[in-house]
Amino acid sequence: MDILDKYQLKEWWVESLTVSQRNQVSNNYRPMGLPVSDTPCLYQNVDKTYFNDGFGKLSLLLTLSHVAESPAKEILKAKAESELTKSNTSANINLIDTHLALASLIQHHYSLRADNKHYEKAKELCLMQISFANKVAKKFRHPEKPTELKRLHKITGIRHPYYDEPQMLPSHTGYKQLAIILEKEGDIKSAIKLSEKALKQGWTDDYDKRLVRLNKKLAKIQ
């Protein structure tokens, strides 16, 4: 099974991108040192451990968009947003994949914030990512151990520091970016409230320092 079949993207890939676009993206995509490629012999035996820790369809599409040239770049990002909408209503949502995809899309739309449509979209996606932040935090703190390791550790009694101990949370783009937006819009109180919530959940973005600065700024205004 190749990676496009794995995520049911093969038909879309062929229909939506030209041969030259597919070749360009394939030649520049290097997971584990291999290209996506239209060649069926590649990825016949996908190493499933490579897809642990939440990597999924959305992350794949956005990774491909990063190496794609226009207009394929825009086509891939649009497909990712379309799939994001579908996954957000699914009972089997891949939380980490969705979290990572939203982080990328927030950065994309905010970089185009001169256009109000993109500015408002960035805020919308921030709120979407924040809406399940507490749930995804649990996934990051306690990553799912691969089946192979579970078997091995059961036999040997070995513990793995990454899987068997709580992990530090990474940065959270939605919280961070929306706090910046609210501050720039002059809504300091909401920026403080949002930063307090992120700090309480444990996201890593120097919220202690941000809150000190925001509270000083609010005191001056009042």
Side-chain angles (χ1 to χ4, degrees), residues 45-114:
N45 296 303
V46 174
D47 179 1
K48 294 181 180 179
T49 62
Y50 175 68
F51 299 101
N52 283 339
D53 301 331
F55 186 92
K57 180 186 285 189
L58 300 175
S59 296
L60 172 64
L61 286 166
L62 288 167
T63 299
L64 295 178
S65 77
H66 292 322
V67 301
E69 297 174 358
S70 294
K73 181 182 292 290
E74 288 70 33
I75 293 171
L76 284 156
K77 283 187 181 295
K79 177 62 173 175
E81 291 207 38
S82 172
E83 292 294 329
L84 176 64
T85 301
K86 294 178 187 176
S87 70
N88 202 40
T89 59
S90 171
N92 299 315
I93 182 173
N94 182 329
L95 290 174
I96 292 183
D97 187 42
T98 303
H99 170 88
L100 295 174
L102 281 166
S104 179
L105 290 170
I106 288 167
Q107 292 168 346
H108 167 66
H109 286 288
Y110 191 70
S111 70
L112 301 171
R113 61 188 175 279

